[in-house]
Amino acid sequence: MQTTMTSLLTADSPTVMTQTTPHLCIEAVTKCFGSFTALDNISLTIKEGEFVCFLGPSGCGKTTLLRTIAGLARQTSGTLNQRGNDISTLPPQARDFGIVFQSYALFPNLTVFNNVAYGLRNRRVDRARINARVAELLALVNLSGSEQKYPAALSGGQQQRVALARALATEPGLLLLDEPLSALDARVRGHLRSQIKALQARLGVTTIMVTHDQEEALTMADRIVVMNHGVIEQVGTPAEIYHQPASAFVASFIGTMNFLDVAVHSAEQVTLAAVRLTCLPHCLPVGGAARLAVRPEAVALTRQVGGLAGEVTDIEFLGAFQRVTLQLAGANQTLLADVPSRDSTTLGLHMGQTLGIHLPAEAARLYPAGSNTL
Ligand SMILES: Nc1ncnc2c1ncn2[C@@H]1O[C@H](COP(=O)(O)OP(=O)(O)O)[C@@H](O)[C@H]1O
Ligand SMILES: [Mg+2]
């Protein structure tokens, strides 16, 4: 259900929209800068009220896609449709969005009040209503009382909260955030992350946030769009992206991942260090090479050495667990395994120790040999 800004202010009955109604449909959008293709045939549907993150390494096209949605950049081909209206050729001022940029793009010569009121004045909203709306918005971002301050007198985090209030002032259907937290220090960033998330949930405004920070995307997004070199690698919930990465790139970009070179033995078995391992059914050619991906926390270590084994070459203490580096016996490959602190006592974990290694089939994913990783 969506609660609009209006309903917060005037207690109108809120517009009811479900998360399955499409808000924005991007179809086959390509954007070229000269001979360089920054966006390559992007298709994506964003649902009403959803919080979507565009996640990917620097230069993959996240900002270009956001700017195309806003009309600040024009796609070379493809169409955009917002709530059933073709917006493909509309100028930014005719589109329905509010935007927050990475660097504080507040008007330095205007007070906080006037920054937030800016879009409302442009729309000739009457003064009493502007006063009420600005007060409401500043309360929403916990900045009541800062009306007469100038941006220079505010911290980075406060400036971004003003920018957020300004972006929301005209009740846009779509909130666009381009790395809004990345210029802030870690503590402020973490705090503002939960504030933005709570605010978005409360208002129900469809939101797209660009970030290169996987933790930010995993903690904030309903769905993550992982991008690389102008294409979408995967769209999914944080859990899907983390547990079922669709490509070796996604597997390498999110979290920590071991990649092991294996030989494909059958449709459900691979060979690693002369040991036969069961894996989930796959379609890679039998007899060929492949990359087996498994997260350190999924690796189980035992004192019984049977099949796959390795020697402990490093132990890193990380509080709740220890990250162990193992040199695989019979292969020139290393493996990271996260051992919960209580298990390390049971294992008698120490450097130089040889341990049995179990790679659970359901936690291991197979990708073609030579797949691109980060
Ligand atoms: N105006 C432009 N002219 C030429 N190349 C551009 C322009 N804007 C972006 N690019 C290029 O497009 C690619 C994607 O840029 P961008 O969308 O800003 O990436 P991201 O936001 O993911 O870091 C980059 O290689 C960048 O250099
Ligand atoms: Mg960018």
Side-chain angles (χ1 to χ4, degrees), residues 33 36 38 57-65 210:
F33 294 109
F36 176 74
S58 176
C60 72
K62 306 179 295 295
T63 294
T64 303
L65 184 54
V210 162

Side-chain angles (χ1 to χ4, degrees), residues 1 3 86 119 200 202 218 240 242 288:
M1 194 177 91
T3 311
D86 187 346
Q200 191 274 339
R202 181 167 158 201
L218 289 169
E240 285 165 354
Y242 189 83

Side-chain angles (χ1 to χ4, degrees), residues 175-196:
L175 180 61
L176 303 175
L177 309 169
D178 192 353
E179 311 240 12
L181 306 177
S182 59
L184 306 172
D185 69 59
R187 200 180 51 80
V188 179
R189 199 160 59 221
H191 185 60
L192 202 48
R193 196 193 274 177
S194 40
Q195 276 201 332
I196 291 178

Side-chain angles (χ1 to χ4, degrees), residues 207-246:
T207 300
I208 303 173
M209 186 175 89
V210 162
T211 180
H212 65 273
D213 181 334
Q214 47 156 314
E215 196 179 294
E216 218 165 88
L218 289 169
T219 55
M220 295 177 79
D222 294 321
R223 282 195 306 157
I224 298 175
V225 177
V226 184
M227 297 176 63
N228 190 27
H229 294 310
V231 301
I232 293 178
E233 292 263 342
Q234 185 171 8
V235 181
T237 63
E240 285 165 354
I241 298 281
Y242 189 83
H243 293 295
Q244 296 150 43

Side-chain angles (χ1 to χ4, degrees), residues 261-263 271-277 307-309 328-333:
D261 294 324
V262 297
T271 310
L272 171 61
V275 179
R276 193 92 27 96
L277 304 171
L308 193 62
L328 295 186
N332 188 22
Q333 301 195 60

